[in-house]
Amino acid sequence: PTSPAKNVPKPVMPALAKEKSEAGQKAFIKYWLETYNYAFDSGDVGPLRAASASDCDYCSKAVKGVDVLRKQNATWRVGGGVTAALGQASFHTASDGLIRVRVRVTDAPVRFYTSEGTSTQYKAAGLGESTRDFWIERKANSWSIVEVY
């Protein structure tokens, strides 16, 4: 590839992702992961920021990572992306009202490129499967990611 992907479809939050239910929480996490992948694929971090709490450390690092990758290092990815097996998610409500949704995620294989070819700074990767905890909160009739571990 000689340039980043163009016309990457911008994620659209489904109505279900706004519902105050476990199904709504799952749909929101799926949407958030779409905004995460979209940010790395397009360089546009707006949807990711909008779906994340302003004090989410993981989210802030992702936004910074997109900036460093795309703008500072003029590098883009091909492949990759994080998906979640939400069918087997587990839920826990903490005493402060935050909800932990534990899910299995898959980090797909990815390669990195610059206008000169394969990136020498970033190596091909693919972390495989792992378990992640998505901490979410409900404010103003919508969900937001508070932290990811």
Side-chain angles (χ1 to χ4, degrees):
T2 56
S3 66
K6 294 175 177 59
N7 302 319
V8 177
K10 193 173 197 172
V12 176
M13 186 184 301
L16 179 59
K18 296 177 183 180
E19 288 185 10
K20 188 176 181 179
S21 65
E22 285 187 1
Q25 294 165 13
K26 288 181 187 180
F28 177 76
I29 290 170
K30 181 178 185 286
Y31 168 74
W32 186 88
L33 287 170
E34 290 170 357
T35 70
Y36 177 88
N37 292 328
Y38 173 77
F40 279 97
D41 291 341
S42 70
D44 177 3
V45 297
L48 176 61
R49 278 192 175 133
S52 305
S54 60
D55 59 348
C56 173
D57 188 53
Y58 184 93
C59 308
S60 296
K61 287 178 181 174
V63 167
K64 183 174 174 67
V66 169
D67 184 56
V68 168
L69 180 77
R70 299 290 298 233
K71 295 177 185 165
Q72 292 180 24
N73 296 329
T75 303
W76 62 90
R77 74 179 194 178
V78 173
V82 180
T83 57
L86 291 162
Q88 299 178 354
S90 65
F91 301 85
H92 170 75
T93 302
S95 59
D96 60 4
L98 296 180
I99 298 170
R100 182 197 70 211
V101 184
R102 179 168 286 165
V103 297
R104 294 287 299 166
V105 297
T106 302
D107 289 295
V110 62
R111 292 189 170 281
F112 297 94
Y113 296 90
T114 68
S115 60
E116 297 176 6
T118 302
S119 172
T120 56
Q121 184 170 1
Y122 296 93
K123 302 299 179 201
L127 302 176
E129 290 189 9
S130 62
T131 299
R132 295 217 188 126
D133 289 335
F134 292 84
W135 286 91
I136 63 176
E137 69 179 339
R138 185 143 180 102
K139 286 186 177 176
N141 296 318
S142 66
W143 297 105
S144 102
I145 296 287
V146 176
E147 197 54 76
V148 180
Y149 295 103

